[in-house]
């Protein structure tokens, strides 16, 4: 007989016939339905026959692939038992026949030893016959009997669902007392789970539990079926009960760990999976599972350890390689991470999850060509894969190509119409290019959708704020760009909640909302002709693109953004044109004063200084008043007074801030001191270098320098501040020596024993001997590592100090240029002007007065001031250098100036051609035209 015949075999032992010969009958059929159970009407031993039947049935059942036939056999066996008892009773009434067990001896039966020999022979015949039936395919359930009625291991493999962490593989331990009925119901249930018939599987396992409520195998099976139905609480309850019944059931520990991970109970999941590994220390399955959970727990070191062990024994596990790559990337091991991610797609070229993460990896590192190629491969594999179009749209968005982003995101939404991330990103893209009707429509859709995660909920909150900003901008598209003023026009509470991404309910109840779109667009909207430019305007945009590209950081993580290039170039030219006019006016005033020999009254000038400072749009916190005297300020020189009246440092930087706000409307770029007053002391920008165990790709390159700076300041001051702003003394020699020997953030934390911070040094130029509070370097303990970051405090005294410092620095710039160097085209004559511009840039970066965007704004203003002084930076920022970090980590302004001069001086060229360019304010006078200029390439 072959496995395909599925022939049921019944061998029934009967008593010897009258001639003393043993008779055994075989009844078989190609279909179980036609099988007849024959109890030989001899002097039969029906109990022995039934026992052997059960034995053979159990063996055959272990190898049969047709559960339906097995269940029919089971029914026939039950009928046989009933018939056997009926025959026995009939014979008992009509004869002296007595049915006894095989272990008993009577006068009418063969000797005991002979009967046992025959039983062994019969059992052997059953086993041999049943073994010819064969076993099931390896990708289905396999029941391998170690002994008849003994331990049975069940193994099944089911593919992992994309959204979950449950893996359908099990090794359920069946007890020695488990009946054949239970064995096959368990097999049936697992087969149904394999096939995805979860409701049927639950029903099957419940039948087992009705007969045996204390079956850990059935509980594990039903729990697995529940888990795949996302009924995770029910699944965990079943796995927990199974563990209580049998604490050694490793499968139950693993399954509960998986379910807990899917439910978000990450620490508990790790505990369960660790317990499961005690039963199977080298299980690649469990190592894989725990590695993924460790990754989600952000324990990247543990994830790398588990997943590396997993792929050593399971080299074809593409999912394990993917998560190994992600964990390595988080730890900053980018070369190893790329290798692991590439391995995942080499194993399975159509593995979407692997290619998705690989493209995101390249995007994070700003490797545009590789990211784009990877996304194209995803689309070629499946042109209906919505995520691929979202990734492409997101990449285009990061490159400043919002129109291409809209096309890709629209395709993604045609496939998955309610994808919240795609809707939000498309709304932001419409917003950026001035299509406010479509932007508001998408924002509204995002707000109305149901968010199933915290990240999506944050996007919904942002959509509320972005919609209001879109309506505000729409109401000003035909007005002059000077009227666009988020800092003055938008409520402080709104701006604060927007920056902090807080729930908008409080804002919506207490802040007057923007007019609806219909009213906002009453004055007009962007038209096609707004995107058509004259040749003169095109020349202006070409010059802007050339100048603006100099803002690019040549470091991992910073995408080349064409829109930001154009913004930076237009802003720099705009600043140069405005400042040049102010300097021209100042120069004329200065010459007039020199001719007239006017000296003025010092007392009146001091009084006037105070009144002029109040006009500073930065508010009281940006006042130019100070208690000290500026080393660069001459009270007898009317140039400073006149200049502040015409244009202040705050005005200069505000020009750049406005351009930055309009170029990327979904970035909350605002002056921090214009936020809600009662929150000013708490708000400040924050940039992490390490977050837990993760190394932030953009800023980790400055980790060692920041750590060294912190150690030097700790040693110099011999104290730090704790979280409560209390002073922690470090004067003990042992502590100071330990600080010197510290090699990482963890070492410093162990010395202090608590969270702490210390501000960098920023030496004043305006006030001799004064030190300003720089940026705070903070160390905070987290579950799996540390948050090592820089934070800018927002306190009134600090704003007053930096306001005075910036005022003095700006006066120095103006005085240097409007003196002997005015209008010069000799680069050597402009050395003092160059250094004073760099010095003011140094204080801006230590000030960091914006909620975000301070780095870009500071560099744009620097480029604009160089242009105004007839100098142009012709080289890009050197590889690996981030100008704002150079300033933050330099305690003295001259240190920063010298580091910048090392590469800027050779690149500075005299340039007066910018003066022939059209006036930016005249070429693009309205907000709508500015948006159009930024949205056309």
């Amino acid at each position: 007989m072959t496995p395909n015949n599925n022939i049921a075999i019944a061998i029934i032992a009967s008593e010897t016939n009258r001639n003393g010969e043993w008779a055994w009958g075989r009844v078989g059929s190609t279909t179980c339905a036609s099988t007849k159970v024959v109890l030989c009407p001899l002097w039969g031993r029906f109990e022995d026959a039934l026992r052997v039947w059960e034995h053979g049935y159990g063996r055959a059942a272990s190898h049969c692939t047709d559960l339906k036939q097995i269940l029919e056999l089971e029914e026939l066996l039950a009928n046989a038992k009933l018939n056997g008892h009926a025959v026995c009773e009939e014979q008992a009434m009509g004869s002296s026949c007595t049915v006894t067990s095989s272990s008993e001896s009577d006068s009418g039966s063969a000797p005991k030893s002979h009967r046992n020999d025959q039983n062994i022979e019969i059992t052997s015949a059953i086993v041999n016959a049943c073994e010819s039936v064969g076993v099931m395919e390896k990708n289905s359930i396999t029941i391998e009997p170690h002994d008849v009625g003994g331990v049975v291991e069940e193994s099944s493999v089911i593919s992992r669902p994309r959204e979950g962490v449950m893996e359908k593989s099990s090794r359920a331990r069946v007890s020695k007392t488990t009946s054949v009925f239970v064995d096959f119901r368990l097999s049936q249930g697992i087969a149904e789970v394999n096939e995805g018939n979860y409701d049927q599987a639950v029903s099957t396992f419940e039948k087992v539990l009705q007969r045996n409520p204390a079956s850990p195998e059935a509980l594990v099976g039903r729990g697995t079926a529940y888990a795949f139905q996302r009924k995770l609480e029910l699944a965990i309850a079943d796995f927990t009960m199974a563990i209580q019944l049998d604490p050694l059931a490793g499968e139950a520990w693993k399954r509960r760990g998986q379910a807990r991970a899917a439910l978000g109970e990450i620490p508990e999941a790790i505990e369960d999976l660790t317990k499961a590994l005690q039963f199977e220390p080298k299980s690649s399955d469990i190592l894989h599972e725990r590695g993924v959970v460790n990754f989600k727990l952000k324990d990247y070191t543990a994830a790398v350890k588990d997943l590396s062990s997993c792929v050593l024994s399971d080299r074809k596990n593409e999912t394990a390689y993917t998560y190994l790559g992600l964990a390595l990337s988080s730890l900053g091991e980018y070369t190893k991470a790329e290798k692991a991610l590439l391995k995942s797609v080499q194993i399975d070229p159509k593995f979407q999850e692997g290619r998705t993460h690989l493209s995101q990896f390249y995007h994070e590192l700003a490797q545009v060509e590789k990211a784009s190629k990877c996304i194209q491969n995803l689309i070629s594999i499946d042109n209906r894969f919505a995520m691929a179009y979202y990734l492409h749209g997101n990449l285009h968005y990061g490159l400043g190509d919002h129109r291409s982003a809209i096309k890709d995101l629209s395709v993604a939404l045609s496939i998955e119409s309610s994808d919240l991330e795609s809707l939000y990103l498309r709304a932001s893209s419409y917003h950026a290019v001035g299509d406010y009707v479509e932007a508001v429509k998408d924002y509204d859709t995002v707000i109305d959708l149901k968010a199933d995660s915290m990240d999506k909920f944050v996007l919904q909150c942002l959509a509320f704020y972005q919609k209001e900003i879109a309506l505000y901008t729409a109401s000003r598209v035909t007005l002059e760009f000077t009227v666009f003023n988020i800092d003055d026009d938008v409520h402080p509470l709104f701006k604060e909640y927007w920056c902090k991404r807080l729930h908008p309910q409080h804002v919506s109840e207490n802040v007057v909302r923007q007019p609806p779109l219909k009213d906002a667009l009453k004055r007009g909207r962007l038209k096609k002709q707004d995107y058509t430019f004259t040749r003169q305007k095109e020349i202006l945009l070409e010059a802007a693109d050339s100048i603006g590209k100099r803002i690019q950081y040549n470091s991992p993580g910073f995408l080349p953004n064409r829109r930001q290039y154009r913004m930076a170039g237009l802003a720099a030219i705009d600043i140069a044109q405005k400042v040049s006019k102010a300097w021209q006016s100042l120069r004329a005033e200065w010459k007039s004063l020199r001719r007239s020999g006017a000296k003025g009254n010092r007392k009146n000038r001091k009084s006037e200084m105070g009144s002029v400072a109040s006009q500073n749009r930065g508010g009281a916190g940006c006042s130019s008043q100070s208690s000290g005297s500026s080393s660069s300020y001459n009270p007898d020189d009317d140039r400073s007074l006149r200049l502040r009246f015409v244009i202040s440092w705050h005005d200069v930087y505000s020009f750049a801030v406005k351009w930055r706000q309009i170029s990327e409307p979904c970035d909350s770029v605002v002056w921090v001191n214009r936020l809600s007053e009662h929150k000013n002391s708490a708000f400040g920008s924050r940039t992490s270098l390490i977050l837990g165990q993760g190394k932030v790709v953009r800023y980790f390159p400055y980790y060692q320098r920041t750590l060294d700076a912190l150690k030097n300041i700790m040693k110099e001051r011999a104290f730090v501040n704790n979280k409560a702003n209390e002073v922690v003394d470090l004067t003990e020699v042992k502590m100071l020596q330990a600080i010197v020997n510290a090699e990482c953030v963890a070492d410093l934390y162990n010395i202090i024993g608590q969270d702490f911070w210390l501000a960098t040094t920023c030496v004043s130029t305006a006030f001799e001997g004064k030190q300003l509070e720089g940026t705070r370097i903070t160390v905070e303990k987290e579950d799996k590592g540390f948050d090592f970051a820089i934070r800018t405090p927002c306190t009134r005294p600090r704003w007053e100090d930096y306001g005075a410092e910036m005022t003095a620095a700006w006066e120095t710039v103006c005085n240097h240029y409007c003196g002997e160097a005015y209008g010069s085209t000799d680069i050597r004559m402009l050395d003092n002007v160059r250094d004073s511009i760099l010095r003011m840039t140094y204080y801006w970066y230590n000030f960091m007065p914006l909620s975000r965007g301070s780095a870009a704004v500071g560099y744009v203003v620097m480029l604009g001031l160089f242009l105004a002084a007839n100098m142009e930076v012709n080289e890009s920022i050197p590889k690996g250098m981030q100008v704002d970090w150079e300033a933050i980590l330099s305690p003295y302004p001259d240190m920063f100036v010298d580091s910048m001069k090392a590469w800027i001086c050779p690149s500075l060229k005299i340039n007066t051609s910018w003066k022939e360019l059209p006036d930016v304010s005249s070429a693009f006078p309205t907000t709508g035209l500015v948006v159009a200029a930024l949205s056309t390439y």
Side-chain angles (χ1 to χ4, degrees):
M1 287 177 282
T2 64
N4 292 330
N5 288 332
N6 296 327
I7 297 178
I9 298 180
I11 301 179
I12 305 174
S14 62
E15 188 58 81
T16 58
N17 61 16
R18 294 189 180 185
N19 296 325
E21 297 175 345
W22 284 89
W24 61 288
R26 189 180 82 179
V27 179
S29 172
T30 56
T31 60
C32 291
S34 63
T35 300
K36 304 297 183 182
V37 178
V38 178
L39 294 177
C40 297
L42 303 175
W43 298 62
R45 295 189 52 200
F46 298 103
E47 192 165 290
D48 278 356
L50 290 173
R51 182 181 64 78
V52 177
W53 171 277
E54 287 181 331
H55 189 166
Y57 164 75
R59 189 56 181 254
S62 300
H63 295 82
C64 184
T65 59
D66 194 328
L67 289 176
K68 181 178 179 182
Q69 290 185 1
I70 291 298
L71 295 175
E72 289 176 349
L73 278 173
E74 181 182 21
E75 183 179 357
L76 292 171
L77 175 59
N79 292 336
K81 291 180 180 179
L82 293 175
N83 291 337
H85 287 297
V87 171
C88 196
E89 291 174 2
E90 181 181 345
Q91 290 181 353
M93 294 171 63
S95 68
S96 60
C97 173
T98 303
V99 178
T100 61
S101 69
S102 61
S103 61
E104 297 179 77
S105 177
D106 56 42
S107 57
S109 63
K112 179 178 181 181
S113 60
H114 183 59
R115 289 200 306 272
N116 286 342
D117 291 341
Q118 296 302 317
N119 288 338
I120 293 173
E121 182 182 343
I122 292 169
T123 301
S124 178
I126 295 172
V127 171
N128 292 335
C130 291
E131 283 178 347
S132 67
V133 177
V135 296
M136 304 169 76
E137 295 181 4
K138 290 183 179 179
N139 63 351
S140 186
I141 302 170
T142 302
I143 302 178
E144 300 175 354
H146 295 275
D147 54 49
V148 177
V151 176
V152 177
E153 288 189 355
E154 297 175 351
S155 175
S156 65
V157 179
I158 300 179
S159 60
R160 173 189 299 273
R162 180 179 173 192
E163 71 280 1
V165 300
M166 293 299 300
E167 184 175 337
K168 301 181 183 176
S169 69
S170 66
R171 293 188 178 275
R173 208 177 63 132
V174 181
S175 65
K176 292 185 178 182
T177 59
T178 303
S179 68
V180 173
F181 169 85
V182 171
D183 289 351
F184 282 98
R185 287 298 184 192
L186 290 173
S187 299
Q188 181 185 15
I190 294 175
E192 288 165 346
V193 172
N194 278 337
E195 296 167 1
N197 299 323
Y198 304 127
D199 289 331
Q200 295 178 23
V202 168
S203 177
T204 299
F205 288 124
E206 285 178 345
K207 290 178 181 177
V208 176
L209 290 168
Q210 288 173 4
R211 181 171 292 196
N212 181 11
S215 169
E217 300 82 23
L219 288 166
V220 170
R222 187 176 68 176
T224 301
Y226 280 145
F228 280 106
Q229 292 177 308
R230 310 301 295 174
K231 299 176 181 179
L232 298 175
E233 291 86 355
L234 292 176
I236 291 172
D238 274 356
F239 299 141
T240 300
M241 189 177 296
I243 290 170
Q244 291 171 351
L245 291 169
D246 184 2
L248 300 180
E251 184 68 16
W253 288 101
K254 183 184 79 171
R255 292 295 188 187
R256 192 172 72 171
Q258 293 173 326
R260 282 178 161 176
L263 197 59
E265 299 175 357
I266 304 298
E268 294 83 358
I270 292 290
E271 184 179 347
D272 283 351
L273 293 169
T274 301
K275 184 70 175 181
L277 274 173
Q278 294 178 7
F279 301 105
E280 297 182 73
K282 296 183 180 180
S283 169
S284 61
D285 176 33
I286 301 175
L287 285 167
H288 171 211
E289 199 68 45
R290 193 175 69 172
V292 173
V293 176
N294 272 321
F295 174 81
K296 294 180 178 179
L297 192 61
K298 298 183 179 180
D299 190 349
Y300 305 120
T301 302
V304 168
K305 183 178 179 180
D306 281 344
L307 293 166
S308 296
S309 299
C310 170
V311 297
L312 283 176
S313 57
D314 186 2
R315 297 184 180 277
K316 296 296 183 181
N317 190 331
E318 65 271 23
T319 305
Y321 274 110
T322 296
Y323 278 95
L324 176 59
L326 295 176
L328 287 167
S329 176
S330 297
L331 293 174
E333 300 284 348
Y334 302 119
T335 302
K336 293 180 180 178
E338 182 181 21
K339 184 178 179 180
L341 289 167
L342 287 171
K343 181 68 174 178
S344 73
V345 297
Q346 288 170 2
I347 293 170
D348 181 2
K350 295 185 178 181
F351 182 40
Q352 288 182 330
E353 184 181 5
R355 289 196 181 276
T356 296
H357 287 303
L358 182 60
S359 65
Q360 290 173 320
F361 168 78
Y362 287 136
H363 186 155
E364 289 280 324
L365 293 179
Q367 296 181 9
V368 178
E369 291 183 4
K370 288 184 177 181
S372 183
K373 182 178 179 180
C374 196
I375 295 169
Q376 292 292 349
N377 287 337
L378 269 173
I379 295 173
S380 65
I381 292 169
D382 180 4
N383 62 6
R384 297 292 294 171
F385 185 40
M387 175 58 76
Y389 295 100
Y390 169 80
L391 293 173
H392 216 192
N394 193 26
L395 181 62
H396 283 304
Y397 188 95
L399 296 173
D401 189 356
H402 292 78
R403 295 193 184 280
S404 294
I406 290 170
K407 293 178 182 178
D408 284 319
L409 294 166
S410 296
V411 176
L413 288 166
S414 70
I415 301 169
E416 295 182 11
S417 59
S418 60
D419 182 65
L420 193 145
E421 289 96 336
S422 294
L423 279 164
Y424 176 81
L425 197 59
R426 190 175 70 173
S428 302
S429 300
Y430 279 131
H431 187 168
V433 300
D435 193 341
Y436 303 110
V437 174
E438 295 300 323
V440 169
K441 186 186 302 182
D442 277 352
Y443 283 138
D444 281 336
T445 305
V446 170
I447 294 170
D448 292 338
L449 286 174
K450 182 178 180 180
D452 55 8
S453 69
M454 182 54 67
D455 288 341
K456 292 181 180 179
F457 175 72
V458 170
L459 288 182
Q460 286 186 312
C461 294
L462 286 174
F464 170 85
Y465 299 112
Q466 300 300 151
K467 174 187 173 183
E468 293 295 301
I469 297 298
L471 292 172
Y472 168 82
T473 309
S475 67
R476 283 154 176 77
V477 291
T478 58
L479 302 180
E480 290 187 4
F481 187 44
T482 54
V483 178
F484 178 86
N485 195 327
I486 291 176
D487 288 285
D488 282 353
D489 297 341
V490 178
H491 196 284
L493 186 66
F494 177 96
K495 290 183 292 184
E496 180 167 330
Y497 273 54
W498 178 30
C499 291
K500 295 183 177 180
R501 302 184 174 194
L502 300 178
H503 195 290
Q505 181 177 355
H506 186 59
V507 173
S508 62
E509 293 173 352
N510 295 278
V511 176
V512 176
R513 304 282 292 277
Q514 293 294 325
L517 187 62
K518 183 178 179 180
D519 295 337
L521 291 176
K522 275 184 177 179
R523 298 181 181 180
R525 65 184 70 193
L526 287 171
K527 303 176 179 63
K528 288 185 178 180
Q529 56 265 34
D530 294 332
Y531 295 95
T532 303
F533 306 125
T534 62
R535 180 55 189 159
Q536 282 296 101
K537 290 182 179 180
E538 289 177 352
I539 292 173
L540 175 59
L541 294 178
E542 289 170 5
D545 291 342
S546 176
I547 294 169
K549 67 182 180 182
R550 302 302 180 197
I551 68 169
Q552 179 67 43
Y553 278 169
N554 189 7
S555 298
F558 292 93
L559 286 169
N561 189 306
R562 291 193 301 171
R563 186 181 177 93
Q564 296 306 314
Y565 290 172
R566 179 162 292 183
M567 174 278 298
L570 286 171
I573 296 170
D574 187 31
I575 289 170
Q577 291 170 342
K578 287 181 169 64
V579 169
S580 180
K581 290 177 182 178
W583 283 348
Q584 185 178 8
S585 175
L586 176 63
R587 175 71 176 177
E589 179 71 13
W590 180 70
K591 289 173 68 175
S592 175
L593 289 172
R594 287 190 64 182
R595 284 195 301 268
S596 64
K599 294 293 185 178
N601 185 281
R602 178 180 301 184
K603 182 177 179 180
N604 291 337
R605 288 188 182 117
K606 285 187 176 181
S607 175
E608 190 174 356
M609 282 174 59
S611 63
V612 171
S614 65
Q615 299 177 24
N616 190 324
R617 289 170 60 190
C622 292
S623 172
S624 62
Q625 301 178 64
S626 62
S627 57
S629 61
S630 171
S631 60
S632 61
Y633 172 68
N634 182 357
D636 290 328
D637 193 344
D638 276 345
R639 288 176 297 174
S640 298
L641 171 61
R642 179 64 177 171
L643 180 64
R644 280 200 305 274
F645 182 79
V646 174
I647 189 171
S648 70
W649 71 267
H650 192 277
D651 292 328
V652 174
Y653 282 91
S654 290
F655 298 145
V657 168
K658 187 176 297 188
W659 280 98
R660 180 65 178 80
Q661 289 169 335
I662 201 73
S663 68
E664 186 47 78
C666 292
D667 282 350
S668 50
V669 178
V670 293
W671 291 89
V672 175
N673 69 324
R674 305 302 298 277
L675 301 175
S676 180
E677 287 294 327
H678 69 280
K679 293 289 185 179
N680 278 355
S681 61
F683 189 91
S685 62
R686 166 181 169 175
T687 303
S688 294
L689 297 92
I690 293 179
L691 200 54
Q693 293 179 2
K695 298 176 180 178
V696 180
V697 62
R698 285 188 170 189
Y699 309 115
F700 185 77
Y702 276 86
Y703 166 81
Q704 192 60 51
R705 282 189 58 183
T706 307
L707 180 66
D708 291 341
L710 177 59
K711 288 169 58 179
N712 290 335
I713 300 170
M714 292 172 70
K715 183 180 177 182
E716 177 186 334
R717 299 181 188 173
F719 74 87
V720 294
N721 302 94
N722 64 16
K723 211 167 188 176
N725 291 329
E726 299 168 340
V727 173
V728 179
D729 183 74
L730 303 176
T731 55
E732 291 185 17
V733 176
K734 290 183 178 179
M735 294 185 73
L736 292 175
Q737 187 58 46
I739 291 169
V740 172
N741 297 334
E743 296 181 352
C744 61
V745 171
D747 291 343
L748 291 179
Y749 182 88
N750 291 334
I751 295 169
I752 307 303
Q754 58 181 313
D755 296 348
F756 68 94
W757 63 269
L758 204 57
T760 60
T761 298
C762 182
V763 176
S764 170
T765 299
F767 309 105
E768 186 175 353
K770 184 178 180 64
Q771 283 195 1
L772 308 175
E773 181 182 8
T775 299
R776 294 181 181 181
I777 304 176
T778 65
V779 176
E780 295 181 356
K781 184 76 170 66
E782 293 195 342
D783 288 341
K784 302 301 177 183
F786 297 90
D787 182 1
F788 185 46
I790 57 171
R791 297 186 182 184
T792 305
C794 180
T795 61
R796 187 174 296 276
R798 189 176 186 277
W799 275 76
E800 290 175 351
D801 285 346
Y802 274 98
E805 195 71 43
M806 291 295 293
T807 297
W810 173 234
E811 290 174 356
T812 301
V813 171
C814 297
N815 288 340
H816 279 151
Y817 184 73
C818 293
E820 298 298 326
Y822 184 81
S824 175
T825 56
D826 184 347
I827 196 72
R828 291 171 298 180
M829 290 287 293
L830 298 170
D831 283 353
N832 287 335
V833 179
R834 176 201 61 209
D835 290 356
S836 61
I837 292 172
L838 292 174
R839 192 170 291 111
M840 186 170 73
T841 303
Y842 166 79
Y843 287 114
W844 169 265
Y845 283 135
N846 277 276
F847 190 9
M848 286 287 176
L850 304 179
S851 57
R852 63 181 303 168
S854 293
V857 167
Y859 204 77
V860 166
V861 171
M862 188 192 80
L863 293 177
L865 293 179
F866 277 139
L867 274 182
N870 299 326
M871 294 179 285
E872 182 181 358
V873 179
N874 281 321
E875 295 293 334
S876 299
I877 299 169
K879 184 176 182 180
M881 174 181 279
Q882 298 181 35
V883 179
D884 51 333
W885 282 91
E886 294 292 324
I888 289 167
L889 297 177
S890 298
Y892 302 97
D894 287 345
M895 288 180 61
F896 171 76
V897 171
D898 290 342
S899 69
M900 293 289 287
K901 283 165 61 177
W903 66 272
I904 275 189
C905 285
S907 73
L908 274 180
K909 307 296 180 184
I910 293 295
N911 179 8
T912 58
S913 62
W914 67 271
K915 295 180 179 181
E916 300 174 3
L917 295 172
D919 182 72
V920 174
S921 298
S922 300
F924 307 106
T926 67
T927 300
L929 290 174
V930 167
V931 171
L934 294 173
S935 306
T936 307
Y937 303 101

